[in-house]
Amino acid sequence: MVMSLGQGLWMAISVLYAVTIVHLTPGELGISLGVAAALVLLSSIPLGHLADRAGPRTVQMWSFLALAPLTVVLLLAEGFWAYLVITSAQGLVYRAGNNARKAMIAANVPRTDRVRVTAQIRAAINASVAVGACLAGLVIAWGAPVGYGGALVFTALCFLVTGLLTVKEPPVPPVPASAGAAFAVLRDVPFLLFTALDGLLLTHALLIDIVLPLWVIQHTDAPRWMGAVILVINTTFVVAFQTKAVRGTDDPRSASWAGLQGAGCVAAACALFALTGGAGAVTACVLLVLGALVHGLGEIRQAAASWTIVFGMAPDHAQGQYQGTYKMGGDLGRILAPAAFTWLIIEQGAVGWIVLAASYVVLGAAMPAVVARGVREPTPGRAAATT
């Protein structure tokens, strides 16, 4: 929660800080974010492997301790190249800590409790991110450079405290190299297929963050502030119900069907959003709220299913590299989806929503078969881990 408090604050002001304080152009900002995302994508598996070999607690501790000075040094950033180098380093270090955190859960929590604990963590993170976003609103309303600087220092302190708190976690010994081949996950075809499918499904998060605010403004008669209302509904729903959404996800096979249910809910939400284009203001608001609730249900159900499948298919000696690989699916989705969704929905209108709904149904329907193959035909590394 300490980490996500600073993360929520920084996420909400980072773009404005880059443009107003560092004086980047929108094009330079886009290039910086794209390069950082590509570096994180390419390094995700090696960084996950590092957590296995060095020990996840050690990697998590040093990653957040390193994030503190990397955040403060942004106060000195002037121009494109300095911002690019610093934010790229931030992205790599943060991904190392993120991979290690999931490996920490796998090491310290019994297998039957991992998904429940992860759901509790996600609920806590969303609550804390919301508080950080509220603090960011005050900084943005003030608008003074000293306010942005203070927010950066506060974020750095959150990362520093997170690193120190990690010391209090139980130690997790490194896994010897002999326990499994390096990057064995790359030979686990069923897991790679699951990662690709799930990464495409995870693009539904961008609907709430990016697409719907634009849709509300350009295609509906609903007031502009409905985009913010939908974000609040989504965050509140996740905080309130994420821990309950893990029911019926006891093993990868049952979780894959829960993932199909989540995809179906997201598809239904897309259909509801499609109806708002030709509706009056009041009707559009009602449909948007209803769609946000259905989308939230699909999001938490699909998230719980994904955690069970990842924890279940990843051998304990390679949790770091499997978690890093899984993150790559979401990274690819976030890189490709914004432009695709903008063209499909903002330019094509309601038809785009229907096409997207059908796509989510197809992706969700493929999940049980892919997971069943992985359970039925484990790779040598996973077979050794389970015997």
Side-chain angles (χ1 to χ4, degrees), residues 165-191:
L165 286 173
T166 303
V167 179
K168 297 179 67 63
E169 293 291 335
V172 180
V175 178
S178 59
F183 310 145
V185 67
L186 295 178
R187 298 197 301 273
D188 194 337
V189 175
F191 186 82

mmCIF file of all heavy atoms in Angstrom, residues 165-191:
data_model
loop_
_atom_site.group_PDB
_atom_site.id
_atom_site.type_symbol
_atom_site.label_atom_id
_atom_site.label_comp_id
_atom_site.label_asym_id
_atom_site.label_seq_id
_atom_site.Cartn_x
_atom_site.Cartn_y
_atom_site.Cartn_z
ATOM 1 N N LEU A 165 10.601 -1.855 4.222
ATOM 2 C CA LEU A 165 9.602 -2.794 4.723
ATOM 3 C C LEU A 165 9.849 -4.211 4.214
ATOM 4 O O LEU A 165 9.524 -5.191 4.891
ATOM 5 C CB LEU A 165 8.197 -2.338 4.317
ATOM 6 C CG LEU A 165 7.619 -1.139 5.076
ATOM 7 C CD1 LEU A 165 6.304 -0.702 4.433
ATOM 8 C CD2 LEU A 165 7.396 -1.486 6.546
ATOM 9 N N THR A 166 10.424 -4.319 3.022
ATOM 10 C CA THR A 166 10.712 -5.639 2.459
ATOM 11 C C THR A 166 11.684 -6.421 3.341
ATOM 12 O O THR A 166 11.637 -7.655 3.386
ATOM 13 C CB THR A 166 11.284 -5.494 1.038
ATOM 14 O OG1 THR A 166 10.353 -4.764 0.232
ATOM 15 C CG2 THR A 166 11.519 -6.854 0.396
ATOM 16 N N VAL A 167 12.551 -5.704 4.041
ATOM 17 C CA VAL A 167 13.514 -6.365 4.924
ATOM 18 C C VAL A 167 12.789 -7.177 5.997
ATOM 19 O O VAL A 167 13.300 -8.188 6.477
ATOM 20 C CB VAL A 167 14.449 -5.327 5.564
ATOM 21 C CG1 VAL A 167 15.450 -5.995 6.504
ATOM 22 C CG2 VAL A 167 15.196 -4.550 4.479
ATOM 23 N N LYS A 168 11.597 -6.751 6.383
ATOM 24 C CA LYS A 168 10.855 -7.445 7.421
ATOM 25 C C LYS A 168 10.157 -8.699 6.911
ATOM 26 O O LYS A 168 9.625 -9.482 7.702
ATOM 27 C CB LYS A 168 9.817 -6.494 8.039
ATOM 28 C CG LYS A 168 10.429 -5.293 8.748
ATOM 29 C CD LYS A 168 9.364 -4.379 9.319
ATOM 30 C CE LYS A 168 8.602 -5.063 10.445
ATOM 31 N NZ LYS A 168 9.451 -5.391 11.604
ATOM 32 N N GLU A 169 10.140 -8.886 5.594
ATOM 33 C CA GLU A 169 9.517 -10.087 5.038
ATOM 34 C C GLU A 169 10.412 -11.296 5.269
ATOM 35 O O GLU A 169 11.628 -11.168 5.396
ATOM 36 C CB GLU A 169 9.291 -9.909 3.529
ATOM 37 C CG GLU A 169 8.259 -8.858 3.172
ATOM 38 C CD GLU A 169 6.854 -9.276 3.558
ATOM 39 O OE1 GLU A 169 6.596 -10.488 3.642
ATOM 40 O OE2 GLU A 169 6.014 -8.389 3.799
ATOM 41 N N PRO A 170 9.832 -12.495 5.316
ATOM 42 C CA PRO A 170 10.657 -13.701 5.498
ATOM 43 C C PRO A 170 11.662 -13.849 4.359
ATOM 44 O O PRO A 170 11.332 -13.602 3.194
ATOM 45 C CB PRO A 170 9.630 -14.848 5.468
ATOM 46 C CG PRO A 170 8.325 -14.202 5.813
ATOM 47 C CD PRO A 170 8.394 -12.814 5.266
ATOM 48 N N PRO A 171 12.884 -14.233 4.669
ATOM 49 C CA PRO A 171 13.880 -14.417 3.596
ATOM 50 C C PRO A 171 13.509 -15.587 2.694
ATOM 51 O O PRO A 171 12.961 -16.592 3.136
ATOM 52 C CB PRO A 171 15.178 -14.696 4.364
ATOM 53 C CG PRO A 171 14.726 -15.247 5.677
ATOM 54 C CD PRO A 171 13.433 -14.549 5.998
ATOM 55 N N VAL A 172 13.801 -15.418 1.419
ATOM 56 C CA VAL A 172 13.547 -16.470 0.432
ATOM 57 C C VAL A 172 14.886 -16.831 -0.205
ATOM 58 O O VAL A 172 15.499 -15.990 -0.865
ATOM 59 C CB VAL A 172 12.549 -16.011 -0.649
ATOM 60 C CG1 VAL A 172 12.318 -17.126 -1.658
ATOM 61 C CG2 VAL A 172 11.243 -15.573 -0.011
ATOM 62 N N PRO A 173 15.368 -18.040 -0.031
ATOM 63 C CA PRO A 173 16.683 -18.397 -0.566
ATOM 64 C C PRO A 173 16.668 -18.439 -2.092
ATOM 65 O O PRO A 173 15.653 -18.774 -2.709
ATOM 66 C CB PRO A 173 16.954 -19.791 0.018
ATOM 67 C CG PRO A 173 15.587 -20.347 0.305
ATOM 68 C CD PRO A 173 14.742 -19.169 0.698
ATOM 69 N N PRO A 174 17.777 -18.114 -2.716
ATOM 70 C CA PRO A 174 17.866 -18.231 -4.183
ATOM 71 C C PRO A 174 17.715 -19.676 -4.618
ATOM 72 O O PRO A 174 18.019 -20.607 -3.873
ATOM 73 C CB PRO A 174 19.267 -17.690 -4.503
ATOM 74 C CG PRO A 174 19.703 -16.941 -3.280
ATOM 75 C CD PRO A 174 19.015 -17.583 -2.129
ATOM 76 N N VAL A 175 17.254 -19.859 -5.848
ATOM 77 C CA VAL A 175 17.134 -21.198 -6.415
ATOM 78 C C VAL A 175 18.415 -21.512 -7.175
ATOM 79 O O VAL A 175 18.829 -20.734 -8.039
ATOM 80 C CB VAL A 175 15.926 -21.291 -7.368
ATOM 81 C CG1 VAL A 175 15.845 -22.678 -7.989
ATOM 82 C CG2 VAL A 175 14.642 -20.960 -6.616
ATOM 83 N N PRO A 176 19.080 -22.617 -6.875
ATOM 84 C CA PRO A 176 20.317 -22.959 -7.600
ATOM 85 C C PRO A 176 20.060 -23.109 -9.088
ATOM 86 O O PRO A 176 18.982 -23.532 -9.523
ATOM 87 C CB PRO A 176 20.753 -24.288 -6.977
ATOM 88 C CG PRO A 176 20.050 -24.346 -5.658
ATOM 89 C CD PRO A 176 18.752 -23.609 -5.848
ATOM 90 N N ALA A 177 21.047 -22.785 -9.877
ATOM 91 C CA ALA A 177 20.905 -22.882 -11.335
ATOM 92 C C ALA A 177 20.607 -24.296 -11.784
ATOM 93 O O ALA A 177 19.960 -24.514 -12.799
ATOM 94 C CB ALA A 177 22.170 -22.365 -12.013
ATOM 95 N N SER A 178 21.041 -25.291 -11.017
ATOM 96 C CA SER A 178 20.829 -26.676 -11.412
ATOM 97 C C SER A 178 19.380 -27.105 -11.304
ATOM 98 O O SER A 178 19.003 -28.157 -11.822
ATOM 99 C CB SER A 178 21.678 -27.605 -10.536
ATOM 100 O OG SER A 178 21.343 -27.437 -9.158
ATOM 101 N N ALA A 179 18.519 -26.295 -10.630
ATOM 102 C CA ALA A 179 17.121 -26.689 -10.458
ATOM 103 C C ALA A 179 16.344 -26.637 -11.765
ATOM 104 O O ALA A 179 15.288 -27.226 -11.885
ATOM 105 C CB ALA A 179 16.451 -25.796 -9.422
ATOM 106 N N GLY A 180 16.833 -25.957 -12.734
ATOM 107 C CA GLY A 180 16.126 -25.890 -14.013
ATOM 108 C C GLY A 180 16.928 -25.098 -15.023
ATOM 109 O O GLY A 180 17.763 -24.273 -14.663
ATOM 110 N N ALA A 181 16.698 -25.337 -16.276
ATOM 111 C CA ALA A 181 17.441 -24.630 -17.313
ATOM 112 C C ALA A 181 17.040 -23.164 -17.326
ATOM 113 O O ALA A 181 15.911 -22.807 -17.030
ATOM 114 C CB ALA A 181 17.158 -25.257 -18.674
ATOM 115 N N ALA A 182 18.010 -22.304 -17.675
ATOM 116 C CA ALA A 182 17.715 -20.889 -17.784
ATOM 117 C C ALA A 182 16.669 -20.650 -18.870
ATOM 118 O O ALA A 182 16.741 -21.207 -19.960
ATOM 119 C CB ALA A 182 18.998 -20.115 -18.103
ATOM 120 N N PHE A 183 15.682 -19.810 -18.534
ATOM 121 C CA PHE A 183 14.627 -19.444 -19.476
ATOM 122 C C PHE A 183 13.870 -20.662 -19.991
ATOM 123 O O PHE A 183 13.494 -20.736 -21.164
ATOM 124 C CB PHE A 183 15.185 -18.630 -20.642
ATOM 125 C CG PHE A 183 16.048 -17.468 -20.216
ATOM 126 C CD1 PHE A 183 17.140 -17.100 -20.961
ATOM 127 C CD2 PHE A 183 15.750 -16.758 -19.060
ATOM 128 C CE1 PHE A 183 17.945 -16.026 -20.577
ATOM 129 C CE2 PHE A 183 16.538 -15.685 -18.666
ATOM 130 C CZ PHE A 183 17.646 -15.318 -19.418
ATOM 131 N N ALA A 184 13.651 -21.639 -19.108
ATOM 132 C CA ALA A 184 12.904 -22.829 -19.501
ATOM 133 C C ALA A 184 11.489 -22.493 -19.928
ATOM 134 O O ALA A 184 10.862 -23.247 -20.675
ATOM 135 C CB ALA A 184 12.876 -23.826 -18.332
ATOM 136 N N VAL A 185 10.984 -21.350 -19.483
ATOM 137 C CA VAL A 185 9.626 -20.953 -19.821
ATOM 138 C C VAL A 185 9.445 -20.817 -21.331
ATOM 139 O O VAL A 185 8.334 -21.016 -21.853
ATOM 140 C CB VAL A 185 9.264 -19.628 -19.108
ATOM 141 C CG1 VAL A 185 10.102 -18.474 -19.649
ATOM 142 C CG2 VAL A 185 7.785 -19.308 -19.251
ATOM 143 N N LEU A 186 10.522 -20.517 -22.046
ATOM 144 C CA LEU A 186 10.402 -20.324 -23.489
ATOM 145 C C LEU A 186 10.111 -21.626 -24.225
ATOM 146 O O LEU A 186 9.746 -21.608 -25.399
ATOM 147 C CB LEU A 186 11.687 -19.691 -24.037
ATOM 148 C CG LEU A 186 11.990 -18.271 -23.536
ATOM 149 C CD1 LEU A 186 13.300 -17.765 -24.100
ATOM 150 C CD2 LEU A 186 10.851 -17.317 -23.902
ATOM 151 N N ARG A 187 10.260 -22.772 -23.535
ATOM 152 C CA ARG A 187 9.919 -24.057 -24.138
ATOM 153 C C ARG A 187 8.540 -24.547 -23.680
ATOM 154 O O ARG A 187 8.118 -25.630 -24.088
ATOM 155 C CB ARG A 187 10.994 -25.097 -23.780
ATOM 156 C CG ARG A 187 12.378 -24.755 -24.299
ATOM 157 C CD ARG A 187 13.284 -25.991 -24.284
ATOM 158 N NE ARG A 187 13.413 -26.538 -22.939
ATOM 159 C CZ ARG A 187 14.321 -26.126 -22.044
ATOM 160 N NH1 ARG A 187 15.161 -25.153 -22.370
ATOM 161 N NH2 ARG A 187 14.387 -26.677 -20.848
ATOM 162 N N ASP A 188 7.891 -23.769 -22.846
ATOM 163 C CA ASP A 188 6.572 -24.141 -22.325
ATOM 164 C C ASP A 188 5.499 -23.540 -23.230
ATOM 165 O O ASP A 188 4.953 -22.470 -22.968
ATOM 166 C CB ASP A 188 6.423 -23.630 -20.893
ATOM 167 C CG ASP A 188 5.231 -24.248 -20.167
ATOM 168 O OD1 ASP A 188 4.301 -24.703 -20.859
ATOM 169 O OD2 ASP A 188 5.236 -24.278 -18.927
ATOM 170 N N VAL A 189 5.207 -24.237 -24.318
ATOM 171 C CA VAL A 189 4.300 -23.701 -25.336
ATOM 172 C C VAL A 189 2.903 -23.399 -24.794
ATOM 173 O O VAL A 189 2.347 -22.334 -25.080
ATOM 174 C CB VAL A 189 4.221 -24.660 -26.547
ATOM 175 C CG1 VAL A 189 3.191 -24.160 -27.561
ATOM 176 C CG2 VAL A 189 5.594 -24.773 -27.204
ATOM 177 N N PRO A 190 2.281 -24.302 -24.012
ATOM 178 C CA PRO A 190 0.950 -23.969 -23.485
ATOM 179 C C PRO A 190 0.955 -22.692 -22.643
ATOM 180 O O PRO A 190 0.026 -21.882 -22.742
ATOM 181 C CB PRO A 190 0.584 -25.193 -22.648
ATOM 182 C CG PRO A 190 1.367 -26.303 -23.241
ATOM 183 C CD PRO A 190 2.660 -25.682 -23.669
ATOM 184 N N PHE A 191 1.992 -22.499 -21.833
ATOM 185 C CA PHE A 191 2.053 -21.287 -21.018
ATOM 186 C C PHE A 191 2.236 -20.057 -21.889
ATOM 187 O O PHE A 191 1.648 -18.995 -21.621
ATOM 188 C CB PHE A 191 3.179 -21.380 -19.994
ATOM 189 C CG PHE A 191 3.194 -20.228 -19.028
ATOM 190 C CD1 PHE A 191 2.361 -20.225 -17.921
ATOM 191 C CD2 PHE A 191 4.018 -19.139 -19.235
ATOM 192 C CE1 PHE A 191 2.356 -19.160 -17.033
ATOM 193 C CE2 PHE A 191 4.021 -18.059 -18.360
ATOM 194 C CZ PHE A 191 3.190 -18.076 -17.254
#
